[in-house]
Amino acid sequence: MSQAPPVAPLDTLTAALRSALPVLPVVAVVALLGLPITPTDEGGANAADAMSGLAVLWCAVHLLRGRRRPLSPTAALVLGLPVVGVAVAAAGAADPGAGITGLARYLQIFVLVPAAVLLLMRDRRDFRLLTWSFVALALWQGAIGVQQYATGTGASYQGEDVRAVGTFGPTDVMGMAAVVAFGLVCAVALALGTCSARQRAVAVLCALALLAPLALSFSRGAWIATGVACGAQLLLAGLRRAVKVGAAVAAAGVILVGGLGVGTAMLQERMTSITQVADAPDQSVIDRYTMWAAAIDMWREHPLTGVGLKGFPDNRDGHASLALSSGSDIAGAGAAFHKQALLSPHNMYLLVLGEQGLIGLVALAGSWLALLVCALRGLVRVRRAGRDPADPGPPPDRTPPGTDCALVACGLLVWQLTDFVYADIGGPSTVLTAVVFGLVGWWALMDASASVGPGATTPVPSVAEATVAR
């Protein structure tokens, strides 16, 4: 009896690339964020932004060739809802040019790129490919950040060039922190939800490796958001896994901080400052509260439509108190000392409220809330599909297929919504936020009512159907 000839490794690689071809432009967006950001690029678009535009174009070409309805009515409503407030605020902008620029940016981050990511992904293999690309980018940026701390070549912090910023530079100190946090949340989800013991072990190692660069970013907002997101993932995964992962994290913390003394003094002082926002806040906290108050004051003057897109910088001085400093100090990581102007309230909700009013905030926050509810429903469907009807529930150690995707989507969205309390869009890393909303959107919205996605050969299944099939 003749045997089939073995498949050559090159043929296997070619087949894998052909299978992942539709989603590769999105992977390229993530990969390009690993490149250094030059000083001339820090204030505008970068290679990743350009690639995100190409991904949208790639998606449009596939949709036109397929001649199929791209989104279900629910998905179109949820993804298109932010357009309402953004369009109204752009029309009311004092500077038409700035309004158009702001309109393009909001549509890129919250509508166009998420929709393209959602449509270019066909199944959970694509979802997991993007998830692991997040982890890979986080490990790369985290390694650079740890090296910056160890060699004193990072951004300036308390007079020392030790703040880990990766390739993003001192003007986007939140960039590396966000990238590492995304990777950590993805790794935790993979460790909790994957069915493969090998992948689970790799994910655990990646999560532990990312703790150090996240700590060395000295970003309080990223710490808080990561703690909330990972805590939510642990609760969603079950008590037994929560205990195991919590013990591993505690052990890693003891080794890194207690045993090796990684940044002990600075980290303790930074962590302590989180609880001193009322008693003895530092200047950065004072500036943040002052700008929050200014944004609220703008909204009170224009409650429905706000002051218009890109209107916060022009209206800031007229609404901020004298406690606001002239700007934040920028130095280190290859940049000379200079002052960076404070042009946003560092709170996405208050930025939208001040510039877009209640109309914009309700539209944008409503879209995010709908995504969260639908993502949680997807997790419930996975649990139900993996339960044996003859038993009252699944075995304690059984992980239903698709749990990892559900935990990734829920964790990333919870992280982003929490981080928006301490940050807003801006900087080279912002395009990664758009990919996050696309990932979450695919899990939450792609169901049996959706048409065939670009490059797919079969209808896109619902979350429950996909769970049974895989």
Side-chain angles (χ1 to χ4, degrees), residues 201-279:
V202 173
V204 169
L205 292 176
C206 291
L208 294 176
L210 291 172
L211 290 175
L214 180 63
L216 298 178
S217 69
F218 296 103
S219 175
R220 292 170 293 196
W223 293 347
I224 295 172
T226 304
V228 172
C230 292
Q233 288 175 313
L234 291 174
L235 292 176
L236 293 174
L239 182 60
R240 179 173 297 187
R241 291 186 180 89
V243 172
K244 292 180 180 179
V245 176
V249 172
V254 170
I255 294 173
L256 289 175
V257 179
L260 301 180
V262 177
T264 303
M266 288 185 175
L267 285 177
Q268 287 181 350
E269 182 178 350
R270 191 67 166 172
M271 291 178 181
T272 303
S273 67
I274 296 177
T275 62
Q276 295 176 340
V277 293
D279 298 333

Side-chain angles (χ1 to χ4, degrees), residues 22 27 38 58 210 233 237 239 243 251 259 268-269 280 284 291 300 304-305 308 324 327 337 343 376 391 412:
V27 176
T38 61
W58 174 270
L210 291 172
Q233 288 175 313
L239 182 60
V243 172
Q268 287 181 350
E269 182 178 350
S284 65
M291 291 187 294
R300 287 172 177 167
L304 288 180
T305 60
L324 184 65
F337 176 82
L343 302 179
L376 291 173
D391 296 332
L412 287 177

